Every structure is written in structure tokens, then in C-alpha cells.
Amino acid sequence: MVEIYNVTKSYGAKNAISKADEIMALLNLSITMQEGEVFGLVGTNGAGKTTLLRILAGVLKEDDGVVLVDGQKVYNNPEIKKEIFFIPDDPYYFPANKAKDLSDYYACVYPKYSKERFLALMKDFSLNENRHISSFSKGMRKQLAIIIALSAQTKYLLCDETMDGLDPVMRQAAKSLIAKDMTDRGLSAIMTSHNLRELE
């Protein structure tokens, strides 16, 4: 269960002199999300969607308020982070890495990571695990991020515009896989999108 109570987060503008120069990303936000749900976040650019996901992933710390995942605070909590996978809008990959190198890395981070599932999904998506990620197209890199995320077998999946850049066939395949994991193992997903139809 995800519980967010009165969360506020602001960013200081460059060369900010006073509190008035800060940029407010979230202000007194409260949300409760039950397990096994898909929670869609819709908003304009700068509305705070990505900031919220980064706080839930423990990448950022809220200024005020409380964020709990399964009753635990996330920031500086490696144990609960093992149950959360965050796919950013534009994932960064080390240029020299092959897809299998990335899989090996995440297998060290996530205890339930399945290399078998990784290889099966790579085959299903027609991606070569021995190919350098730098040679992948944007859509292929998005597919790889989804494959890694599902192979990690976490309880929570945070997707920031994850379906952008995927063609319709791959988009449907990714949505089907997420839905199957929700049914099979109780995955909970939080997704941002500018596309209302996509979220529906």
C-alpha cells in the first residue's frame, strides 16, 4: 500500500536568494493507493508527476509530509526499495554496456530478479541481449527498460511516460505484460502519461 500525506517538494531556482525564488513542485499532496491497482497520474508539464515518482522511488526526499510504502519510509531505506522499480521517462544506460550487462547489474540489486524471465522477454520482443544498448533505438531502449523492470519482479512499478516511443504493437504487448503481472503476482503500478486514452 502506498500512502502519501501532505507532501510538499520545492526546488530552489538557480542563484535563488529567498524562499520566494523557489519553484513549488508539490504542495500538500495526499494520495492512498491500494495494492494490485493501476494508478494513473495526469497533468501538464511541470505539474509534479515525475517529482512524485522520484519521491516514491526514494531518489528524492520530500521537504514536508510523509511517504510510506507498505508502512515504511522510502528515502534511505534499501529494504523497501527492493520492492520498487522506477522507469524514468528517459532511462540512462552506460554506452559500453550490452543488454545482458544491465540484466546482470539489476540481478545484484533486486533479490527476486529472474534472468530466465529476462531472456524469455528479450526473445519475445526480438531484442538481442548481446547487443550494445547504445545501438538500440529509443523504442528498443524503452522495451529494454520494461523487460528489466518486469524481470526484477518487484511489488511496485513506477512508470514515467514509459509507453511513449513505443509503436502500437509493442505498447499493447507491454500493457498486457503489466496486466498479467498484476493478476499473477499482485503487481501495483503507478503510471504517468499525457495521453488520457493510454491511461484508460
Side-chain angles (χ1 to χ4, degrees):
M1 182 169 165
V2 174
E3 300 166 275
I4 299 168
Y5 300 110
N6 300 316
V7 167
T8 295
K9 177 67 181 175
S10 62
Y11 298 99
K14 284 188 177 178
N15 304 317
I17 297 170
S18 70
K19 203 96 166 125
D21 294 321
E22 289 185 340
I23 299 166
M24 190 63 63
L26 300 172
L27 180 61
N28 297 327
L29 178 70
S30 294
I31 296 172
T32 301
M33 178 186 159
Q34 302 297 326
E35 294 179 13
E37 290 183 346
V38 174
F39 196 94
L41 292 172
V42 185
T44 58
N45 290 331
K49 302 183 300 294
T50 298
T51 296
L52 179 60
L53 291 188
R54 288 180 176 175
I55 289 172
L56 284 172
V59 176
L60 294 176
K61 188 177 189 316
E62 63 278 10
D63 295 335
D64 289 303
V66 178
V67 176
L68 300 174
V69 175
D70 291 347
Q72 299 183 54
K73 292 186 177 181
V74 181
Y75 194 76
N76 278 344
N77 185 346
E79 286 308 307
I80 195 62
K81 285 183 181 182
K82 291 175 183 176
E83 290 297 339
I84 302 167
F85 199 102
F86 174 46
I87 306 176
D89 179 25
D90 189 16
Y92 174 79
Y93 302 111
F94 293 111
N97 278 5
K98 298 176 181 176
K100 69 175 183 178
D101 298 329
L102 192 66
S103 175
D104 290 342
Y105 169 76
Y106 279 107
C108 295
V109 176
Y110 290 99
K112 293 184 278 189
Y113 189 91
S114 170
K115 290 186 178 181
E116 293 78 16
R117 186 165 196 209
F118 167 77
L119 291 172
L121 289 174
M122 289 291 284
K123 185 176 180 182
D124 290 345
F125 279 75
S126 300
L127 295 177
N128 184 345
E129 68 271 13
N130 292 305
R131 187 171 162 183
H132 283 92
I133 300 170
S134 58
S135 69
F136 282 16
S137 68
K138 179 182 178 182
M140 292 165 74
R141 289 194 299 271
K142 289 270 188 172
Q143 291 171 45
L144 178 61
I146 293 167
I147 290 168
I148 293 285
L150 294 175
S151 299
Q153 301 190 104
T154 57
K155 189 173 178 181
Y156 299 95
L157 178 61
L158 313 179
C159 301
D160 193 9
E161 304 285 351
T162 301
M163 301 303 169
D164 279 7
L166 295 179
D167 64 54
V169 172
M170 287 299 119
R171 187 175 296 158
Q172 187 56 48
K175 288 190 288 188
S176 296
L177 284 168
I178 291 170
K180 187 173 188 311
D181 272 28
M182 290 180 70
T183 302
D184 291 352
R185 60 181 188 83
L187 174 70
S188 300
I190 301 178
M191 312 185 88
T192 71
S193 179
H194 291 91
N195 188 331
L196 287 173
R197 182 173 293 180
E198 190 74 56
L199 282 177
E200 287 174 9

